[in-house]
Amino acid sequence: MKINCISYSVLISVFFLSACSVGEDYRQPVTPEVKDWKNENPSIVTKQTKESVPLWWKNLNDTTLNRLVEEAVRNNYDLKIAKTRIDEARALSGRAEALLLPDINLSGSVTKEGNQSSRGGLDATNSRSEIGVSGSWDLDLFGGKRSESEASAANLGSAEANYRQALQTLLADVARTYVDLRTQQQLLLLTEKNLGLQKDTLRATKLQFEAKAAAKLDVLRAEAQVSSTSAEIPSIRAALAAKRHRISVLTGKSPQDIDKELMKSAVTPYFNDKVIMATPVAVIANRPDIQGAEFKLREQAALKNARTADIFPKITLSGFFGAGTASLYSGATPWSMAANLLMPVLNFGRIESEIEAADARKQQAFAVYHKTVLEAIEDVENALVQYTEEKKRYALLEQSVTAQREAVRLARLKYEAGDAVFIDVLIAEEKLL
């Protein structure tokens, strides 16, 4: 009875010790308090609501772009790589959790023994067989393995955040490249149209020169303008090809498999409505790069706790229970129980150095997290400034194009009436282009 009480006391002590852990509890880092965006403009920005459509690219109202986005999400290889990294992290997390539990194995053996005498005869042989169940359990008395499991779970969270980041980057790349493609197509059409007008002007100038109504200098200037405009077309076509090839790769295709719809010119899509913006708090909470940085911080904090636990002793319980038979003896029931203790005594500062290195990596992750938050705020603020100023620039360019078209028309009329020199026409056309 006394032995049983002692055994129960030991088991209860082990149970409570296994619930202990060393190291610091993880606390979410404090982020900068940003209530409103500094450069937010109510005339172009509307606040995000629960009803806001998260599929932002659909606001461009382009069916080809919508289809390309679907193909990219389905076939892009960067996204597939990010997905497999999630699978890898999930498997490693499951392995770390499994190490917290006992390891149980089924084992068996068959042995035949005998001796040969000096006279060449054989003594009696003995055959022995054994089968049973063995198990071992590393008691996680100070939370080292639990910390390793927490680190693996944080690594899984980081992989999932990286996948979301890859998805957002992919969506932006597809939309940006598609808009650039359509812009280059419109630029090519405009340049070819201007080239046609300049060739007409060149023919008219040559006729006037033959009729002694224009100078040779006017002809040379007209030819130079045609050559200059013609030289812009190859670079535009090269840029067009590069955009088409890029879209093919983003959608998981070979550059040779260029979509026929991308070969045809189409208008450049643009947002008709206001840009939907979330609050700074929501942006900081939902951006995948910030989430990934926090998961990395959580992982390094857990790994530091795991290294700290290496200072303390480790206890392993093991046991075996089975059945066996032997030809010289009756059947037996072999069993064994053992407890092993490992206590670091002299390691010449190895564990302390590992703890210091883990703490340094934790501090690095902490700095990376805050840097990521600040860069995220910077990205949004810069985007707001650029979008606001580009809207202003767009409106001014519209006014400039309207005025310059009228200037070209008047310059041509004056030149045809003999009231202006041809250089005035060339300058007006160049500004319009």
Side-chain angles (χ1 to χ4, degrees), residues 274-326:
K274 292 182 178 181
V275 176
I276 299 174
M277 282 291 300
T279 61
V281 174
V283 170
I284 293 175
N286 297 324
R287 273 184 63 126
D289 54 346
I290 296 179
Q291 293 174 346
E294 185 183 352
F295 276 118
K296 279 299 179 183
L297 174 59
R298 186 187 295 269
E299 178 186 7
Q300 294 303 325
L303 289 176
K304 181 194 173 184
N305 290 342
R307 298 291 72 80
T308 304
D310 292 339
I311 298 176
F312 299 92
K314 295 179 174 59
I315 297 179
T316 302
L317 303 180
S318 61
F320 177 83
F321 182 82
T325 59

Side-chain angles (χ1 to χ4, degrees), residues 362-410:
K362 175 185 173 183
Q363 297 303 322
Q364 292 172 31
F366 183 79
V368 169
Y369 172 80
H370 279 280
K371 177 186 175 185
T372 305
V373 171
L374 292 177
E375 289 179 341
I377 297 173
E378 177 193 20
D379 286 345
V380 177
E381 293 289 2
N382 288 343
L384 286 171
V385 173
Q386 291 170 3
Y387 190 75
T388 302
E389 298 305 320
E390 191 64 21
K391 291 281 286 185
K392 297 176 182 177
R393 177 173 175 269
Y394 181 83
L396 294 172
L397 284 174
E398 279 190 320
Q399 298 176 14
S400 176
V401 167
T402 301
Q404 201 59 45
R405 280 178 180 156
E406 181 63 16
V408 169
R409 188 183 69 84
L410 294 177

Side-chain angles (χ1 to χ4, degrees), residues 254-289:
S254 168
Q256 287 76 21
D257 300 329
I258 295 175
D259 198 319
K260 292 182 179 180
E261 291 190 25
L262 300 181
M263 301 293 293
K264 302 176 183 177
S265 297
V267 297
T268 303
Y270 61 93
F271 290 110
N272 291 319
D273 301 322
K274 292 182 178 181
V275 176
I276 299 174
M277 282 291 300
T279 61
V281 174
V283 170
I284 293 175
N286 297 324
R287 273 184 63 126
D289 54 346

Side-chain angles (χ1 to χ4, degrees), residues 213-286:
K216 180 64 176 179
L217 182 59
D218 291 340
V219 176
L220 294 175
R221 285 172 173 170
E223 289 176 345
Q225 185 68 34
V226 169
S227 298
S228 177
T229 304
S230 299
E232 296 179 7
I233 293 178
S235 60
I236 297 175
R237 287 177 175 167
L240 266 173
K243 300 300 180 184
R244 287 195 296 265
H245 297 160
R246 186 60 191 157
I247 290 177
S248 296
V249 173
L250 289 173
T251 53
K253 300 177 183 178
S254 168
Q256 287 76 21
D257 300 329
I258 295 175
D259 198 319
K260 292 182 179 180
E261 291 190 25
L262 300 181
M263 301 293 293
K264 302 176 183 177
S265 297
V267 297
T268 303
Y270 61 93
F271 290 110
N272 291 319
D273 301 322
K274 292 182 178 181
V275 176
I276 299 174
M277 282 291 300
T279 61
V281 174
V283 170
I284 293 175
N286 297 324

Side-chain angles (χ1 to χ4, degrees), residues 15-209:
F15 174 78
F16 282 108
L17 281 173
S18 64
C20 299
S21 61
V22 297
E24 302 174 355
D25 293 334
Y26 176 80
R27 285 178 288 184
Q28 187 175 10
V30 179
T31 56
E33 293 186 6
V34 183
K35 297 181 180 180
D36 297 304
W37 300 113
K38 178 181 177 182
N39 296 287
E40 186 173 315
N41 188 340
S43 64
I44 64 170
V45 173
T46 182
K47 289 292 186 180
Q48 188 179 45
T49 63
K50 293 182 179 180
E51 293 76 21
S52 300
V53 180
L55 309 179
W56 54 266
W57 64 90
K58 291 193 173 182
N59 290 333
L60 291 170
N61 299 317
D62 193 296
T63 55
T64 302
L65 174 59
N66 295 340
R67 180 177 55 78
L68 291 174
V69 167
E70 293 175 0
E71 291 180 359
V73 172
R74 185 169 57 249
N75 302 321
N76 181 263
Y77 284 98
D78 286 336
L79 215 56
K80 290 181 179 180
I81 292 171
K83 179 65 170 64
T84 57
R85 285 174 179 164
I86 291 178
D87 297 336
E88 178 188 7
R90 183 176 290 112
L92 293 176
S93 178
R95 176 182 178 277
E97 291 181 1
L99 292 175
L100 293 170
L101 303 175
D103 189 15
I104 300 176
N105 302 291
L106 179 65
S107 61
S109 65
V110 177
T111 306
K112 190 171 185 179
E113 300 173 336
N115 296 313
Q116 186 174 9
S117 67
S118 59
R119 298 178 180 179
L122 293 174
D123 293 340
T125 60
N126 176 35
S127 297
R128 185 172 69 249
S129 61
E130 187 177 272
I131 187 171
V133 177
S134 63
S136 63
W137 186 17
D138 294 333
L139 299 179
D140 191 28
L141 298 181
F142 299 98
K145 289 190 173 181
R146 286 197 301 276
S147 296
E148 295 278 2
S149 178
E150 291 173 3
S152 295
N155 183 54
L156 173 59
S158 176
E160 292 173 341
N162 290 339
Y163 174 84
R164 293 191 295 273
Q165 179 68 21
L167 176 60
Q168 288 193 5
T169 301
L170 174 63
L171 296 175
D173 285 346
V174 172
R176 182 186 301 110
T177 307
Y178 179 78
V179 171
D180 289 345
L181 170 71
R182 296 309 189 192
T183 302
Q184 292 293 329
Q185 287 176 340
Q186 294 300 311
L187 181 59
L188 179 60
L189 292 176
L190 177 62
T191 305
E192 289 175 341
K193 180 180 178 181
N194 278 279
L195 180 60
L197 294 174
Q198 291 168 5
K199 287 181 177 179
D200 291 340
T201 302
L202 175 58
R203 284 192 293 268
T205 305
K206 286 181 177 180
L207 291 176
Q208 290 180 346
F209 174 72

